[in-house]
Amino acid sequence: MYPFYLLSTRVYLRVLFLLLLPLASFAQTAPAALEAGPLLTPSQFLGYPLGSRFTPHADLLRYVDHVVAHAPGRMKRQDYGQTYENRRLEVVQVATPENLSRLDDIRRNNLRLAGLENGAVQRQQPAIVWLSYNIHGNEAVSSEAVMQVLYDLADPQNKQTQEWLQNTVVLLDPCVNPDGHERYVQWYNRVRAQMANASPYAWEHHEPWPGGRFNHYYFDLNRDWAWQTQQESRQRLTLYNQWLPQVHADFHEMGPDDPYYFSPAAKPYHEDITDFQRKFQNVIGDYNRQVFDQNNWLYFTRETYDLFYPSYGDTYPSFNGAIGMTYEQGGSGRAGVRYAKSDGDTLTLAQRISHHHATSLATIRATAERHNELVTEFQKYFTDARTKPHGSYKSFVVSGAGDPGQLKAFTQYLERQQIQYGYAPRRLKTRGFDYSLGKEESVQIEAQDVVVSMYQPKSTLVKVLFEPRPALEDSLTYDITAWALPYSFGLKAYALKDKLAVSATTPAKGTSAVVAGNSQPATDRPYAYVARWNNLQDVRFLSRLLQQRVKVRVAGRAFESEGQQYQPGTLVITRTGNESLGSRFDQLVRTQADSAGVTVQAVKSGFSTSGADLGSGYVRNVARPTIAVVGGEGVSPTAFGEVWHFFEQQIGYPVTVLGSDYLRSVPLSKFDVLILPDGDYSEMYSERSLEALKTWVRGGGRLIALEGAAAFLAGKKDFLLKTKSTDSVANRKANPYRLLKPYASAEREQIGERVQGSVYRVQLDNTHPLAFGYGPTYYALIRDTINYRFLGEGGWNVGVLKRNNYAAGFAGRQAQRKLTDTFVLGAQEMGRGQVIYLADNPLFRGFWQGGKLLFGNALFFVGQ
């Protein structure tokens, strides 16, 4: 026989065809096998014992399809969207045959109980429980456990689960975060030893950057429930709000040395968690304790995981009428299949599965056995919301005279949340809390201001999202402590103690020489188009124009043209300079304005009645920058993801990602802008490479350093950013016994240095391009004790904290001292280039809308 490598091409292809034929046959018959034969256990279907390895997402979905196919009268699969990487998102609906046949009637009746749909209410109906698995991709045990849960619910011989289904409808989301799950599982299955190595030092227990926790854009989906910045969240919450379950459980993992956590939750509870919700946290905890005690499994309650920040998988459902719970299993991505704990025991994936499986069934059982109470209290929750809402404020008013683009984004957000709103029918003077001043004042309500009344089904959610200063019963909390929508959207707003009359009439749009969408301008060939610079939509508009090779200019000073006032930052798009576009010019500008959702003004002349004319040197060209951002080891994955998502999903502008492992070899001359997200840059930039970075800046480069990157540059040669020194006089006079503190109070002592996501009023120099489009202040969500001197000669202190600039949230006493007379954001000139310091991250979690324009300024205007 000839050696294989000497076979002719024809013979080789024939052999290859014969080898692949069995695989092709299997691929054709595999889908049919999902329905053929009996219902299989997860282990039988997968071909390996459940818990012996991690299951890829595609195989998880295949098993889900197998189970649903074998329970056609008791289960339905509903696809509700897809991830950024095009993986399927789905829930499985489980009920008795009778209830499944009228499932939509049950869903709609549930909305009628909440007052969100009109029609007669049927008081007797099953309770709805929604179980969410694997929102953090590397907490992958829950997607293994859900397969066993599904099997138990589908198994007609399991009398216990079939009995529970008489009184409950179960919705299971088998994998909330498929992209993160797959990132983790593919990595782990690639590096694990033949026999899983339990040693904590083994490769398989050390995930590489960025880890599987996050979604495609490295966002933490469990912090995105309320804000819905991510595709997965928006799609899931659309479906969630069509059901509004009575019970929602979210399945997680924590460190591998921890046992298991279930309700009741830790303090602080948000004050709007009702007495019944608090009570039922204990009820479900009792159901879980029974099974854990019977099996001698370790667990803890009432620690660490509080119910305060509104954007978790337990709090957001709670503020929508559910009993919301977090379940935490010791393990996480570190644990793998086997992990040697510090106490000498070995934690296995099979053990972790059994725990999540047990709490899943206990939650379903509690819902079924207490279904009448749950449904009754659910209806009462929303009745009280409509008729006697909580809190002293009964109306929230947002000025309609502000930025129309930001106002539209705000009302669209309300609509996604099913929050009802209207408009003030007339002018009114009253008293209210002025968010911009941070105190009660006499306020002027104008006709057509947006009004959100507390007398509506979603009033609890309204209160939580609008409350100026959330009541914090304990300063030891897990996340940020302030988030009010007027601050996050940067809108002028008031909170009123009176119920305000509301008109449903949509405000009339002004008519002038405005090009809005496809309307015609005042002249067929205007001298120029002018667009105000106020919000993210305007940044998106600029991005699209630059990519279409449209020449755009920016006004560096205020001006008046044809009776309209324009502030610095206004975009000016002149016909001169865009001759190459020919007849396409006008249609292109109008089309891009319509697509971005902005309004442009057509002007007939370049003459300004005050301020700089449109041809002045103060109206400078906006370059089309080539931008890079650093990602990889040493960079915070979420901070990097916030930048990445901003470019790709929010403004649609190209950005090149540079890996931190090869950053030193990159010729920076190929880029105009380099962004350093929050992270530790000490390994990336040696003294020599830092000199190379400065040389690039001096040659005209623009360096944007956020949070930890700014801290890394602080104090280094040629960088103007400096940390404030400690008060040596105060230290000398300090109490000598201050170090004699009890060990038990250590954690509480440390919070004096912490800022728990508090809102501060940053004073702005809005004559500088970094603050174009803003007024004299900007509300920032401060999460670290920023402690910098004001920049010296050669630097511009664009945003600073002076005294008494606190607005909302918790900050410890020591932190408050540091957050006084402190630099927050600004720029320094270095040669022909600039270094832009953003000590606070304006893109945090993608929901702080008021900061996005500031980041756009850093990208496109500074240094022009």
Side-chain angles (χ1 to χ4, degrees):
M1 178 179 288
Y2 287 104
F4 184 76
Y5 59 83
L6 293 180
L7 290 174
S8 70
T9 302
R10 182 178 297 175
V11 173
Y12 170 75
L13 291 175
R14 180 175 178 80
V15 171
L16 183 63
F17 172 78
L18 293 173
L19 289 171
L20 293 178
L21 187 59
L23 294 178
S25 176
F26 173 77
Q28 292 172 358
T29 60
L34 295 175
E35 300 179 18
L39 172 66
L40 302 178
T41 67
S43 298
Q44 290 169 335
F45 182 89
L46 296 170
Y48 52 82
L50 189 65
S52 64
R53 66 178 72 169
F54 286 104
T55 304
H57 183 254
D59 290 342
L60 166 65
L61 296 192
R62 286 181 62 244
Y63 184 70
V64 170
D65 288 344
H66 167 78
V67 175
V68 172
H70 282 79
R74 289 174 289 124
M75 288 188 178
K76 288 182 181 178
R77 191 195 86 203
Q78 180 177 0
D79 295 351
Y80 66 82
Q82 63 181 19
T83 71
Y84 287 109
E85 296 176 14
N86 301 313
R87 293 187 174 88
R88 194 169 79 210
L89 295 167
E90 63 182 32
V91 295
V92 179
Q93 303 161 347
V94 188
T96 61
E98 178 189 2
N99 286 336
L100 199 71
S101 66
R102 63 185 189 97
L103 201 59
D104 197 55
D105 290 338
I106 292 172
R107 181 189 68 80
R108 296 182 66 184
N109 187 62
N110 202 56
L111 294 181
R112 288 194 287 271
L113 288 170
L116 288 164
E117 185 167 314
N118 296 324
V121 172
Q122 299 296 321
R123 297 186 184 279
Q124 295 299 318
Q125 82 158 30
I128 300 165
V129 56
W130 183 308
L131 306 181
S132 293
Y133 298 89
N134 213 170
I135 196 167
H136 290 148
N138 61 357
E139 297 174 8
V141 62
S142 60
S143 281
E144 305 296 321
V146 72
M147 289 188 279
Q148 187 62 52
V149 175
L150 273 170
Y151 175 81
D152 290 343
L153 292 172
D155 182 6
Q157 304 306 312
N158 191 322
K159 302 302 181 185
Q160 194 174 50
T161 58
Q162 301 313 304
E163 181 182 344
W164 297 339
L165 290 175
Q166 297 297 318
N167 296 316
T168 186
V169 170
V170 181
L171 303 175
L172 300 99
D173 190 329
C175 189
V176 178
N177 181 8
D179 292 350
H181 170 89
E182 198 66 3
R183 190 185 310 127
Y184 173 74
V185 171
Q186 290 293 335
W187 166 79
Y188 183 82
N189 288 343
R190 190 169 64 248
V191 303
R192 64 164 288 185
Q194 183 75 23
M195 295 290 291
N197 191 329
S199 169
Y201 306 105
W203 190 9
E204 61 199 76
H205 300 298
H206 294 270
E207 271 186 279
W209 191 95
R213 179 181 178 89
F214 313 111
N215 77 337
H216 172 78
Y217 283 106
Y218 306 160
F219 273 67
D220 187 332
L221 295 179
N222 195 42
R223 271 74 174 168
D224 197 44
W225 280 78
W227 318 128
Q228 299 164 35
T229 69
Q230 299 301 288
Q231 179 171 300
E232 296 92 339
S233 302
R234 288 192 297 273
Q235 294 168 150
R236 183 178 73 258
L237 270 300
T238 297
L239 182 63
Y240 184 93
N241 278 308
Q242 291 170 4
W243 279 96
L244 286 182
Q246 279 77 38
V247 175
H248 179 266
D250 201 18
F251 291 83
H252 291 264
E253 292 186 79
M254 50 188 165
D257 278 317
D258 294 315
Y260 198 96
Y261 163 83
F262 50 74
S263 62
K267 290 184 178 182
Y269 278 52
H270 193 283
E271 64 177 353
D272 292 308
I273 304 292
T274 67
D275 291 341
F276 175 73
Q277 289 173 318
R278 294 172 189 239
K279 168 191 164 187
F280 217 85
Q281 283 258 326
N282 285 281
V283 169
I284 295 181
D286 288 340
Y287 278 82
N288 287 317
R289 281 195 292 274
Q290 289 177 26
V291 66
F292 271 66
D293 286 343
Q294 288 168 5
N295 288 281
N296 297 311
W297 293 337
L298 295 177
Y299 61 91
F300 68 93
T301 64
R302 297 163 296 178
E303 297 176 28
T304 308
Y305 303 102
D306 61 63
L307 291 174
F308 189 72
Y309 173 63
S311 202
Y312 285 129
D314 51 12
T315 49
Y316 181 85
S318 295
F319 299 136
N320 282 277
I323 311 301
M325 294 166 301
T326 289
Y327 292 137
E328 293 273 356
Q329 164 63 50
S332 76
R334 183 103 190 266
V337 172
R338 295 176 69 244
Y339 184 85
K341 296 166 59 181
S342 60
D343 63 5
D345 286 342
T346 298
L347 178 67
T348 68
L349 179 58
Q351 291 169 341
R352 292 151 62 197
I353 291 171
S354 65
H355 299 160
H356 267 341
H357 172 252
T359 52
S360 298
L361 296 185
T363 304
I364 295 170
R365 178 187 173 193
T367 305
E369 294 181 355
R370 308 290 288 265
H371 74 284
N372 281 329
E373 185 180 8
L374 282 165
V375 172
T376 299
E377 290 291 337
F378 177 82
Q379 184 178 21
K380 181 178 182 298
Y381 180 95
F382 286 100
T383 300
D384 288 348
R386 296 193 305 273
T387 60
K388 47 182 180 181
H390 298 168
S392 57
Y393 297 118
K394 303 307 178 187
S395 304
F396 297 96
V397 180
V398 175
S399 173
D403 170 21
Q406 197 75 323
L407 194 66
K408 181 180 180 181
F410 169 72
T411 55
Q412 287 174 337
Y413 174 82
L414 297 180
E415 290 163 6
R416 285 200 304 272
Q417 301 285 3
Q418 294 183 329
I419 291 174
Q420 299 164 7
Y421 66 93
Y423 300 92
R426 60 186 177 83
R427 197 175 198 193
L428 173 69
K429 195 162 189 175
T430 185
R431 285 193 66 80
F433 178 89
D434 187 330
Y435 285 84
S436 63
L437 299 175
K439 58 183 179 180
E440 295 269 347
E441 288 281 339
S442 177
V443 299
Q444 182 75 55
I445 310 300
E446 301 290 347
Q448 304 301 329
D449 283 352
V450 176
V451 178
V452 181
S453 172
M454 282 288 287
Y455 292 87
Q456 63 168 298
K458 290 290 190 92
S459 72
T460 300
L461 183 63
V462 170
K463 177 181 178 295
V464 170
L465 294 177
F466 277 85
E467 56 193 346
R469 291 174 182 164
L472 190 62
E473 65 176 331
D474 193 320
S475 53
L476 280 175
T477 183
Y478 200 61
D479 213 295
I480 66 175
T481 56
W483 49 77
L485 295 181
Y487 294 133
S488 67
F489 277 89
L491 293 168
K492 187 172 182 59
Y494 315 106
L496 310 182
K497 293 183 178 179
D498 299 322
K499 182 179 180 180
L500 197 63
V502 175
S503 168
T505 306
T506 304
K509 296 181 179 179
T511 56
S512 60
V514 173
V515 178
N518 294 319
S519 62
Q520 290 299 313
T523 175
D524 290 336
R525 290 177 57 82
Y527 180 90
Y529 293 96
V530 180
R532 289 182 168 85
W533 184 256
N534 294 311
N535 55 53
L536 178 66
Q537 293 92 322
D538 301 324
V539 182
R540 189 182 301 128
F541 177 50
L542 175 60
S543 164
R544 292 174 178 176
L545 290 178
L546 293 177
Q547 291 177 79
Q548 292 288 333
R549 300 299 195 271
V550 177
K551 298 284 181 63
V552 182
R553 307 173 82 198
V554 58
R557 293 188 177 182
F559 66 97
E560 180 181 309
S561 175
E562 300 181 4
Q564 296 285 322
Q565 298 288 334
Y566 298 96
Q567 298 304 311
T570 297
L571 301 181
V572 178
I573 310 140
T574 56
R575 189 172 301 279
T576 298
N578 285 298
E579 293 89 349
S580 62
L581 297 173
S583 59
R584 295 175 50 237
F585 173 68
D586 298 281
Q587 187 60 39
L588 195 154
V589 173
R590 292 198 294 269
T591 299
Q592 294 304 327
D594 183 63
S595 176
V598 304
T599 299
V600 295
Q601 184 91 18
V603 296
K604 302 174 185 177
S605 171
F607 176 75
S608 297
T609 48
S610 67
D613 295 330
L614 301 191
S616 165
Y618 291 112
V619 184
R620 301 182 294 272
N621 287 325
V622 179
R624 184 165 55 90
T626 304
I627 302 174
V629 58
V630 177
E633 196 67 44
V635 178
S636 163
T638 54
F640 165 76
E642 287 154 7
V643 174
W644 190 20
H645 184 268
F646 178 82
F647 280 99
E648 293 206 341
Q649 296 296 324
Q650 298 179 51
I651 68 169
Y653 194 85
V655 63
T656 299
V657 178
L658 304 178
S660 58
D661 56 335
Y662 63 85
L663 181 61
R664 295 178 187 176
S665 64
V666 173
L668 292 181
S669 58
K670 302 292 184 182
F671 302 97
D672 304 304
V673 178
L674 177 64
I675 303 166
L676 304 182
D678 184 33
D680 180 0
Y681 288 84
S682 56
E683 295 296 322
M684 277 178 259
Y685 283 108
S686 62
E687 189 174 331
R688 180 177 178 182
S689 55
L690 197 57
E691 285 298 323
L693 180 64
K694 289 187 285 187
T695 298
W696 169 76
V697 174
R698 291 186 182 105
R702 200 179 323 152
L703 179 66
I704 302 175
L706 292 95
E707 297 184 288
F712 167 73
L713 298 177
K716 292 194 168 48
K717 182 183 177 184
D718 299 324
F719 293 97
L720 296 180
L721 190 63
K722 311 290 181 187
T723 304
K724 287 190 291 185
S725 59
T726 56
D727 187 347
S728 58
V729 175
N731 287 339
R732 287 197 300 271
K733 294 181 178 180
N735 182 350
Y737 302 116
R738 69 189 185 281
L739 299 178
L740 305 181
K741 298 177 288 191
Y743 175 76
S745 66
E747 186 177 12
R748 200 162 292 279
E749 289 282 343
Q750 291 171 2
I751 65 174
E753 294 282 348
R754 283 162 52 187
V755 181
Q756 293 288 93
S758 301
V759 178
Y760 274 78
R761 192 180 301 105
V762 178
Q763 304 297 312
L764 292 178
D765 171 10
N766 58 13
T767 67
H768 190 280
L770 186 55
F772 278 178
Y774 289 88
T777 59
Y778 153 65
Y779 286 95
L781 186 64
I782 304 294
R783 295 166 296 108
D784 290 305
T785 50
I786 300 170
N787 188 36
Y788 297 113
R789 301 178 192 171
F790 298 144
L791 299 184
E793 193 67 31
W796 300 100
N797 296 285
V798 182
V800 301
L801 287 178
K802 298 180 181 178
R803 298 182 186 278
N804 302 319
N805 275 331
Y806 163 84
F810 173 80
R813 189 172 300 173
Q814 297 299 324
Q816 290 179 37
R817 277 200 276 265
K818 291 180 179 178
L819 289 167
T820 298
D821 295 333
T822 293
F823 169 91
V824 177
L825 56 100
Q828 80 168 87
E829 296 171 3
M830 185 180 285
R832 292 190 291 110
Q834 293 81 30
V835 179
I836 302 166
Y837 304 105
L838 302 177
D840 171 67
N841 178 10
L843 302 181
F844 177 65
R845 290 183 184 167
F847 86 95
W848 203 255
Q849 302 297 328
K852 294 177 180 178
L853 184 70
L854 191 149
F855 195 73
N857 289 337
L859 296 174
F860 297 112
F861 290 169
V862 177
Q864 296 294 325

